[in-house]
Amino acid sequence: MNKLNFEQRFIAARRAAISCDFIHLNDTQLEAALTTQGPLLLLAGAGSGKTTVLINRIANLLKYGSGSDSEYVPEGATEEELSFLETYAKAPPLDDEAQESQDSQQGETQAMMQELCAVDPVEPWRIIAITFTNKAAGEIKERLEKMLGPESKDIWAMTFHSACSRILRRDIERLGYDRSFTIYDTSDTASLMKRILKEHDIEERTLPHKTVLGYISRAKDAMTFAGEFLSEAENSGDMRRKIIGRAYLEYENRMKASNALDFDDLILLTVRLFMENPDLLQHYQKRFKYVLIDEYQDTNNLQYLLASHLTGGYGNICVVGDDDQSIYKFRGATIENIMSFERNFKDARVIRLEQNYRSTGFILSAANDVIRNNKGRKGKKLWTVNESGIKPELHITGDEREEALFVAGKITASVMEGHNWRDHAVLYRMNAQSNQLETAFKRGGIPYRIIGGTGFYERAEIKDMLAYLCVIHNPHDDVRLLRIINNPPRKIGTTTIDRLRELAAEIGCPVYEAIRETQKHEALRSSAAKLHQFADMIERLRETANAMPLDELYDALLKETGYIKMLEEKDTGENLSRIENVKELKTNIIGFMNENENGGSLFDFLSETALYTDLDREDNSTDRVSMMTMHSAKGLEFDTVFVVGTEEGVFPGIRTIGDPAEIEEERRLCYVAMTRAMRRLYFTSARQRMIFGKTTSAQTSRFVREISGENIDVHEPFNRFGSFDFEQSGSLDRTSANLAERTRQDHSAQKSTTPPLSSQSKPQNPKSESREALPDYKKGDMITHTAFGRGVITSIKLGGGDALLEIVFDDIGTKRLLLKSAARYMSII
């Protein structure tokens, strides 16, 4: 055998032998796990097992390094070693019983495999796997430890913000900050911005604080700092942008004075740190040989910059994402990152994971029908070996109340058949849509939870406790200090606090330091003693923090502040619950201590709690129906899913209609909602819906109408709109212009069997002839009125030779009109 042939056989045998460790993966998953070098884009469709691929890819890197796709052949490799690899690759896997009987032999075999197949296996601490939630990072850590043992704990499996927090804690002093920085969550930044705008006499209704923070977030994503933003605004002459620019500059200055960072700052300052300090950048580029990023379609510009900087050393970046599930544009995510991956990273490979393990065939076919209408996508088609299952169903109801009753009834029937409450999820476009559903669930005795409600760390009493801990850690944190300075009440009133803040601004120091100067200022002299007592308490707790574990520090905090005592003095049900929450925080502290070496630090605990997301807080152990927005459903799966409110103007929303890019984002959202379902998928569409106090009528969503008739069953009540019998099902014609056209065709067909209003049986009396002259309108007719616009007739009541029509108009809601008078202004459309 010549040398070239031997080397080719050895390389092929080594890859085949390594593949035997991953026989549980399908072909494309295996290809992804064994591709280790260079840029790699994994287009992972919904339910395609992307986390499994990530776990196995990391396991391969740790055990075999680049062995699976390296052309390196060890010097002195022998025919016997080649024969061993080829034999190993052909041997069938051992079952558990055979495995146990051959432990000794298997150990020797694995040692030989490691020796022959490993090419530069990587140390765990040289892998960084970035996710978007702590929950996802925790799952990766847990599964890696189960597969590989304790060594996997050294992998940097964490969120973008957690990774940046760790990097900044080491070197943020180079940017003029202290390492003891605190992290502001969204409520903290909102409080600060509200105060800034109030001080500048800018009313909330004129310029909402959320609008200003949105501008600031987008500016930071574009790496535009406050000074540059304000300069551009002043040059533009746009007064609104000037105000925002000044607020941004004040916000930036106060954040730095408080030694605090918001979520955007964590990434922005890390990127800035790398750009301004080549030695630091080189350090991390050498450290991280492999960079893996999950949910890449949800990244923004800053996250892309961070990823590209970290990858600059070895060029080994693997991103996992799905362009069809890019739904967070409103948070700053840009689908362009995943669409242009091959252009941004040269010689990139793309592997499509299209086999779905979650859903039935009909659900996937329906989802493919919808998403193929998007033009801005890379293209893939989900498929499954699962059974075809039951077709998705569209149920058209009269209004939102009927919709809610229908959903409640279906869930109750499903549970009676043996399913659990938690097997069901109801997804809607807007939180406001949960109102009638909650009412129906309460009346029907259906237990439910609303995902995205007030989380544990968002409760006022918990934020108070965390504010104390933050001030103990960083007394320059003005936002947290002002939250607790009179909580519990210490007779430090609003006037005193305002004067204290003015003094701090005059001196040019944090509020905490200004407290020490209050005795020298006449306006604050009477309050100085109380303010000093507060500062002395904080100092005692700061000394305690350096001398005892976190749980004991928390006990000391509760004792010193008297917070629980304050709650106990107001013996109400609400306060009892708040006391329980305050005590429960200690459980979280102890849990954190158990998970971290030497109990962890106060900084690390505060960072972890600040970076929690809604999904991190969710508890799936209780048996309840889940209700949430479609955005909140990303990453979840349920046996049965109800997508409610699928009407034009609701989903897609009225503001997105007419904007192709926005419609494509809404369509991706529909695709995400559909692919949460494993076995049953229901759509509901109401003929008329009251939302925000206004009743409107609309046709069924274009997204549902894009599903081919062979992949969906339609159920429509005959007695309300005169088309389908509620118990019948038919296919939805995806070529029809809209559902209203189908309804008109149904009306025309019924005219041969349904007598017109003028010829319906009437009581025999002298005035009967006047009724025969009534115009021909029926319940369910879509009409246009010269004064009121488009509407739907929802009821007709005969009486007195006339008929009372109830019509729901698109723009003005419900009107009751006498037919004879209204007929001259109306026509059927």
Side-chain angles (χ1 to χ4, degrees), residues 85 173 180 305-306 334 371 443 450 570 611 630 658 694 732 763 794 803 805:
L85 290 175
E173 289 171 339
S180 64
L305 290 174
L306 178 67
T334 171
I371 201 61
R443 289 176 178 173
I450 297 181
K570 299 177 181 180
L611 298 176
M630 299 175 200
K694 180 180 178 181
L732 190 62
T794 57
L805 306 183

Side-chain angles (χ1 to χ4, degrees), residues 757 773-775 777 783 785 788 793 795-807 809 814-826:
L757 183 62
L774 290 176
Y777 286 94
I783 60 92
H785 190 283
F788 304 135
I793 299 175
S795 74
I796 299 178
K797 295 180 180 178
L798 299 173
D802 205 340
L804 180 66
L805 306 183
E806 185 173 270
I807 307 174
F809 291 97
T814 302
K815 287 279 186 181
R816 291 179 175 82
L817 305 174
L818 290 173
L819 178 54
K820 284 185 177 180
S821 301
R824 70 184 68 181
Y825 305 107
M826 295 189 338

Side-chain angles (χ1 to χ4, degrees), residues 38-39 342 345-349:
E342 298 102 309
F345 297 94
K346 293 182 179 179
D347 302 320
R349 293 187 59 183

Side-chain angles (χ1 to χ4, degrees), residues 132 294-300 303 325-328 332-334 337 634:
F132 272 83
D294 194 12
E295 303 289 3
Y296 192 66
Q297 78 281 346
D298 295 333
T299 55
N300 60 23
Q303 289 160 338
Q325 296 188 71
S326 178
I327 59 174
Y328 293 121
T334 171
N337 285 348
K634 180 82 184 320

Side-chain angles (χ1 to χ4, degrees), residues 460-474:
E461 60 273 17
I462 299 303
K463 292 191 75 66
D464 290 343
M465 292 297 98
L466 292 176
Y468 270 107
L469 291 172
C470 284
V471 172
I472 292 168
H473 171 66
N474 172 21

Side-chain angles (χ1 to χ4, degrees), residues 22 24-25 29-42 50-65 68-69 122 127-128 144 147-148 155 289-293 315-320 351:
F22 306 99
H24 54 288
L25 302 179
Q29 289 177 333
L30 179 63
E31 183 184 3
L34 300 189
T35 301
T36 65
Q37 300 303 294
L40 173 64
L41 167 60
L42 299 182
K50 67 180 179 67
T51 304
T52 295
V53 173
L54 275 179
I55 297 297
N56 283 275
R57 190 172 190 274
I58 293 173
N60 179 41
L61 292 171
L62 293 175
K63 190 172 183 180
Y64 298 116
S68 56
D69 58 355
V122 66
I127 297 176
I128 181 169
L144 280 172
M147 180 183 292
L148 302 169
I155 294 171
K289 189 172 183 179
Y290 293 96
V291 177
L292 297 91
I293 301 178
N316 295 325
I317 182 172
C318 171
V319 303
V320 185
I351 297 175

Side-chain angles (χ1 to χ4, degrees), residues 432-560:
Q433 292 173 254
S434 70
N435 185 15
Q436 290 299 324
L437 291 159
E438 289 190 71
T439 299
F441 285 5
K442 288 174 181 176
R443 289 176 178 173
I446 298 175
Y448 67 91
R449 59 175 183 160
I450 297 181
I451 294 178
T454 302
F456 180 74
Y457 287 105
E458 295 168 344
R459 298 181 186 279
E461 60 273 17
I462 299 303
K463 292 191 75 66
D464 290 343
M465 292 297 98
L466 292 176
Y468 270 107
L469 291 172
C470 284
V471 172
I472 292 168
H473 171 66
N474 172 21
H476 293 173
D477 188 338
D478 285 356
V479 168
R480 269 64 175 267
L481 185 142
L482 293 174
R483 180 184 180 97
I484 60 173
I485 196 169
N486 195 43
N487 186 15
R490 299 183 176 92
K491 297 183 179 179
I492 301 174
T494 303
T495 301
T496 299
I497 293 173
D498 288 342
R499 289 173 178 171
L500 180 62
R501 287 174 45 245
E502 290 170 3
L503 174 61
E506 179 184 330
I507 299 175
C509 69
V511 171
Y512 186 77
E513 292 182 9
I515 290 175
R516 299 301 182 189
E517 303 295 321
T518 52
Q519 193 68 39
K520 302 175 184 178
H521 291 262
E522 181 65 32
L524 285 165
R525 194 165 294 158
S526 61
S527 304
K530 289 173 285 194
L531 291 169
H532 286 182
Q533 287 175 3
F534 170 76
D536 291 342
M537 178 190 70
I538 295 299
E539 283 303 312
R540 288 194 300 273
L541 289 170
R542 282 173 59 77
E543 292 173 5
T544 300
N546 296 322
M548 61 177 56
L550 289 179
D551 55 340
E552 294 181 23
L553 168 64
Y554 189 65
D555 290 337
L557 168 63
L558 295 180
K559 182 178 179 181
E560 283 273 7

Side-chain angles (χ1 to χ4, degrees), residues 232-432:
E232 291 175 354
E234 289 177 339
N235 291 334
S236 71
D238 185 330
M239 182 55 66
R240 180 182 172 88
R241 288 185 68 86
K242 286 182 185 179
I243 295 172
I244 293 172
R246 291 165 191 158
Y248 183 8
L249 185 61
E250 184 71 14
Y251 176 85
E252 187 177 89
N253 290 337
R254 293 200 190 183
M255 289 288 286
K256 190 163 186 179
S258 295
N259 198 36
L261 309 182
D262 61 25
F263 292 155
D264 292 324
D265 288 333
L266 289 171
I267 305 177
L268 173 63
L269 295 184
T270 303
V271 172
R272 179 184 160 197
L273 193 66
F274 287 161
M275 294 177 70
E276 296 179 3
N277 299 274
D279 60 318
L280 274 181
L281 176 60
Q282 188 177 36
H283 166 77
Y284 284 103
Q285 286 180 339
K286 285 184 176 180
R287 178 189 180 110
F288 295 124
K289 189 172 183 179
Y290 293 96
V291 177
L292 297 91
I293 301 178
D294 194 12
E295 303 289 3
Y296 192 66
Q297 78 281 346
D298 295 333
T299 55
N300 60 23
N301 178 60
L302 278 177
Q303 289 160 338
Y304 159 72
L305 290 174
L306 178 67
S308 61
H309 276 94
L310 290 176
T311 307
Y314 295 93
N316 295 325
I317 182 172
C318 171
V319 303
V320 185
D322 182 1
D323 52 314
D324 290 334
Q325 296 188 71
S326 178
I327 59 174
Y328 293 121
K329 183 180 178 181
F330 69 98
R331 292 182 184 172
T334 171
I335 193 174
E336 182 61 25
N337 285 348
I338 195 168
M339 298 297 289
S340 60
F341 182 82
E342 298 102 309
R343 185 168 66 252
N344 293 334
F345 297 94
K346 293 182 179 179
D347 302 320
R349 293 187 59 183
V350 179
I351 297 175
R352 287 172 167 79
L353 304 178
E354 299 174 302
Q355 183 176 356
N356 177 283
Y357 292 90
R358 175 188 298 154
S359 306
T360 61
F362 274 128
I363 291 173
L364 294 182
S365 294
N368 286 330
D369 283 344
V370 173
I371 201 61
R372 69 164 58 101
N373 290 278
N374 270 8
K375 296 179 180 179
R377 60 190 297 257
K378 285 183 169 291
K380 64 182 174 307
K381 185 176 182 180
L382 295 182
W383 61 275
T384 184
V385 296
N386 296 342
E387 61 182 11
S388 296
I390 303 169
K391 288 183 181 182
E393 298 178 15
L394 166 65
H395 288 261
I396 300 175
T397 65
D399 56 25
E400 71 276 5
R401 293 179 180 82
E402 285 188 12
E403 175 185 65
L405 290 172
F406 163 75
V407 173
K410 279 291 184 183
I411 292 175
T412 301
S414 176
V415 170
M416 291 178 67
E417 293 171 0
H419 296 95
N420 296 310
W421 297 112
R422 63 173 171 268
D423 295 334
H424 306 82
V426 184
L427 311 183
Y428 34 77
R429 184 63 181 86
M430 301 175 288
N431 280 308

